[in-house]
Amino acid sequence: MSAIAAPGPVPDERRPRMRRTTRARLVRLALYALFVGVVVVVGLLADWQAIKSNYFDADVWRELFPEIITTAARHTVLYTVYSFVLAFALAIVLALMKLAPVAPYRWLATGYIEFFRGLPALVVIFGVGLTIPLAFSGWRPPGGNAGAGVLALTLVYGAYMAETIRAGILAVPKGQYEAARSLGMSSYRTMVSITLPQALKIVIPPLTNEFVALLKDTSLIQVLGFAAAERELTSFASDNIVAYANASPLMAVAVLYLIITLPLTRLVAWMERRGQRAR
Amino acid sequence: MTETRRGDIPAIEVRGLHKYFGENEVLKGIDFHVDPGQVVCVIGPSGSGKSTLLRCVNRLEEPTSGQIFVEGVDITDEETDLDRVRSRIGIVFQSFNLFPHMTVMRNLCIAQQRVKKRSKEEAVEIARRNLEKVGLAEKEDAYPAHLSGGQQQRVAIARALSMDPDMMLFDEPTSALDPELVGDVLDVMRQLATEGMTMMVVTHEMGFAREVGDKLVFMDGGVIVEEGDPHVVLGNPQHERTQRFLSKVL
């Protein structure tokens, strides 16, 4: 009896499985078809001539050189590096304050971080660039509007990076602190030689992401107004879009941004993959 | 290794030690001492408070009440220079806790240079001597991640020894090791004992406790249930709780 009953359930189990693979194949085919369809429609509808002459005008691209590199890209990188270095120093101080045993330091750091993380960077840039000279009887940050912008980004990114570094410090195993203290190292020495080096290694990927975000936010400084010689990529692009009545400068600048940011984001992805493997 | 080596002041003396974690009383009045040159092994079920007791001795855990004297100095006194006391107590952890961002040599030298203010040359020389002692002279340029657990633990012992401690505390030093690596670490500890090092060892290695220990302390539920000569405690335990524990582990 069982010999007769046995073949029954076998095709029953097999049939839905075959149906499932067929359905999956059909769905995949439909997705490909949709993709090809969209590409064809866009390709037919787009005015390629207009796109080429507006975004990829070879003469305009050529005339942007060398200034797009020597002034614009150089200043984007400079403003980023200045802000990052200063923000990093500020962030370490804030992170240590937030972990301090004395409560008022923690309150101060928490207040600072919450304040600057909660504001749009543009508001802080306006605040530093326009209101500091008003409020502090004409004192201006060194470096004119560019300096004011760098200072504003330092204040904002110091708050972000402080949280990242604090998380890194807390991620160092407690046993490291205990081993150092039981060798007689002071809490300061333990922080400098044992905890911080390991914490910073942990936060290299998120800090690189913040570097990229900071680089993009240097485009906001231009709201304060630049002299021609201190323009960065975005202000350079907007000036030239007007000058040429053409969108090519925007595309050129976009390409330059990507040349800088893509390797960094790929680097972070690689570091994170490697970090996961190590675990 | 008997009571004859007893000095005037105990190396470690604990009086009426209580420790709470929140509402939970982990140590319920411990009186305990280790004499200079003595090897004292502490055994007991997990949660008995034996690691907490060891960690209180250099104040990695803050005692709730009671006094702890290290070579006659009250370390629970706020005036005591804790860093100086700690530099005289070597401590070896269950999880090794080597500094992963430093080579073996740097692991052994950093505290010598920063705390003991030794010159680099002197620190390196002392480090080499101690690495040789634990049988890892050829590993000085390796990073901890490239060593086996047993090797890491022997480096940790060498690191503690490089501070010329007056005593060594071991907090379950072999519990995180693969069985085949335990022997090398116990050999190093045995050698230290024969050299006359004062040692307090929290362990589950009954063989080591019997063979090397001068005194065995059995803890359960935050109190010392029984202590004495290891052969006596292990061979003829007086208390019902000791008997029950030993019947499970021996």
Side-chain angles (χ1 to χ4, degrees):
Chain A
M1 250 165 67
S2 63
I4 301 164
V10 175
D12 258 12
E13 271 176 10
R14 220 173 259 166
R15 223 177 294 134
R17 210 188 304 154
M18 279 173 63
R19 255 191 247 131
R20 228 177 290 135
T21 51
T22 319
R23 203 187 310 141
R25 215 174 288 151
L26 280 174
V27 167
R28 219 176 304 147
L29 206 69
L31 285 174
Y32 276 120
L34 180 68
F35 176 77
V36 171
V38 168
V39 168
V40 167
V41 167
V42 169
L44 290 176
L45 291 182
D47 183 346
W48 288 107
Q49 206 48 50
I51 288 176
K52 187 174 178 301
S53 62
N54 269 303
Y55 287 95
F56 300 98
D57 186 321
D59 290 333
V60 175
W61 278 63
R62 220 172 291 127
E63 281 168 31
L64 295 174
F65 284 91
E67 224 194 334
I68 191 170
I69 305 284
T70 56
T71 300
R74 186 167 72 91
H75 280 119
T76 289
V77 171
L78 271 181
Y79 300 155
T80 308
V81 170
Y82 285 145
S83 310
F84 189 81
V85 169
L86 293 172
F88 182 77
L90 175 63
I92 290 206
V93 173
L94 286 169
L96 293 179
M97 279 172 70
K98 234 191 141 168
L99 296 168
V102 184
Y105 284 90
R106 292 200 298 272
W107 299 335
L108 195 62
T110 306
Y112 178 96
I113 290 167
E114 295 306 325
F115 181 79
F116 280 103
R117 279 202 313 181
L119 290 179
L122 199 50
V123 168
V124 180
I125 289 172
F126 276 130
V128 173
L130 304 179
T131 64
I132 280 188
L134 291 178
F136 295 90
S137 58
W139 184 84
R140 281 167 197 283
N145 284 344
V150 165
L151 177 60
L153 290 178
T154 298
L155 296 177
V156 172
Y157 277 82
Y160 282 114
M161 286 157 69
E163 279 299 279
T164 306
I165 291 172
R166 187 180 73 100
I169 290 173
L170 293 178
V172 176
K174 195 165 163 255
Q176 292 291 311
Y177 172 84
E178 291 182 347
R181 293 310 301 273
S182 61
L183 285 165
M185 291 191 210
S186 64
S187 60
Y188 169 79
R189 175 49 57 195
T190 301
M191 181 54 77
V192 170
S193 295
I194 307 301
T195 309
L196 263 188
Q198 295 184 58
L200 293 181
K201 201 177 158 195
I202 293 170
V203 298
I204 286 173
L207 278 189
T208 311
N209 280 332
E210 273 153 24
F211 183 90
V212 171
L214 173 58
L215 184 128
K216 292 185 291 180
D217 276 358
T218 55
S219 63
L220 300 171
I221 303 177
Q222 60 156 322
V223 297
L224 298 177
F226 280 133
E230 56 185 20
R231 282 176 302 177
E232 43 67 64
L233 282 168
T234 303
S235 51
F236 180 81
S238 61
D239 285 358
N240 280 295
I241 290 168
V242 176
Y244 288 99
N246 185 288
S248 294
L250 190 66
M251 289 311 287
V253 159
V255 167
L256 277 177
Y257 271 119
L258 290 173
I259 286 176
I260 306 171
T261 55
L262 274 184
L264 288 172
T265 50
R266 296 323 300 157
L267 181 69
V268 171
W270 176 77
M271 285 189 294
E272 279 170 351
R273 269 202 311 278
R274 203 185 52 159
Q276 257 154 26
R277 263 211 308 279
R279 242 173 270 137
Chain B
M1 274 172 286
T2 48
E3 299 291 301
T4 50
R5 272 206 254 134
R6 177 191 285 261
D8 292 329
I9 331 166
I12 302 167
E13 187 179 6
V14 175
R15 287 189 205 154
L17 176 64
H18 289 260
K19 171 68 184 173
Y20 284 83
F21 287 118
E23 295 285 290
N24 186 17
E25 189 175 19
V26 185
L27 296 177
K28 302 174 180 170
I30 301 282
D31 293 285
F32 165 83
H33 69 95
V34 179
D35 290 325
Q38 229 182 8
V39 177
V40 176
C41 294
V42 184
I43 62 169
S46 53
S48 59
K50 53 194 194 304
S51 282
T52 306
L53 170 62
L54 181 139
R55 290 162 58 83
C56 280
V57 170
N58 80 344
R59 259 180 65 192
L60 281 180
E61 300 293 353
E62 208 63 51
T64 308
S65 67
Q67 281 177 304
I68 298 166
F69 297 88
V70 172
E71 297 176 325
V73 178
D74 184 356
I75 64 156
T76 51
D77 185 348
E78 287 302 319
E79 297 293 304
T80 304
D81 181 354
L82 205 54
D83 289 341
R84 248 187 76 200
V85 175
R86 279 174 170 159
S87 71
R88 297 208 304 268
I89 308 175
I91 183 160
V92 175
F93 299 91
Q94 181 178 347
S95 50
F96 329 135
N97 296 344
L98 294 180
F99 305 134
H101 58 305
M102 298 177 178
T103 62
V104 165
M105 180 51 81
R106 193 85 195 104
N107 262 279
L108 267 64
C109 286
I110 180 153
Q112 291 192 64
Q113 289 173 247
R114 299 294 188 182
V115 179
K116 290 239 164 193
K117 307 290 177 201
R118 285 176 182 155
S119 71
K120 184 163 187 242
E121 292 72 26
E122 195 187 357
V124 167
E125 196 194 312
I126 291 169
R128 288 220 172 97
R129 205 188 308 145
N130 284 307
L131 277 179
E132 202 156 321
K133 193 174 199 166
V134 301
L136 292 170
E138 77 285 0
K139 295 290 186 191
E140 65 173 66
D141 294 324
Y143 280 87
H146 297 129
L147 302 178
S148 74
Q151 290 172 331
Q152 289 193 47
Q153 193 59 298
R154 280 143 69 200
V155 170
I157 294 172
R159 178 174 70 179
L161 289 176
S162 296
M163 298 297 284
D164 293 329
D166 296 341
M167 65 199 75
M168 291 280 284
L169 311 182
F170 294 85
D171 187 7
E172 303 196 26
T174 57
S175 297
L177 297 178
D178 292 336
E180 74 270 22
L181 303 174
V182 169
D184 289 339
V185 172
L186 290 182
D187 284 345
V188 170
M189 291 168 64
R190 197 172 288 124
Q191 187 195 340
L192 273 179
T194 46
E195 287 169 9
M197 176 62 79
T198 307
M199 291 161 67
M200 174 177 174
V201 186
V202 170
T203 187
H204 294 291
E205 297 290 332
M206 297 303 156
F208 179 86
R210 187 200 324 257
E211 180 197 339
V212 182
D214 298 309
K215 183 164 88 171
L216 186 67
V217 174
F218 172 69
M219 284 182 71
D220 192 12
V223 295
I224 292 177
V225 177
E226 192 165 350
E227 61 182 308
D229 183 283
H231 294 274
V232 176
V233 176
L234 291 175
N236 184 22
Q238 298 301 305
H239 281 261
E240 185 263 334
R241 277 200 280 183
T242 322
Q243 290 162 6
R244 196 156 14 108
F245 175 72
L246 290 176
S247 73
K248 280 185 204 143
V249 296
L250 284 180

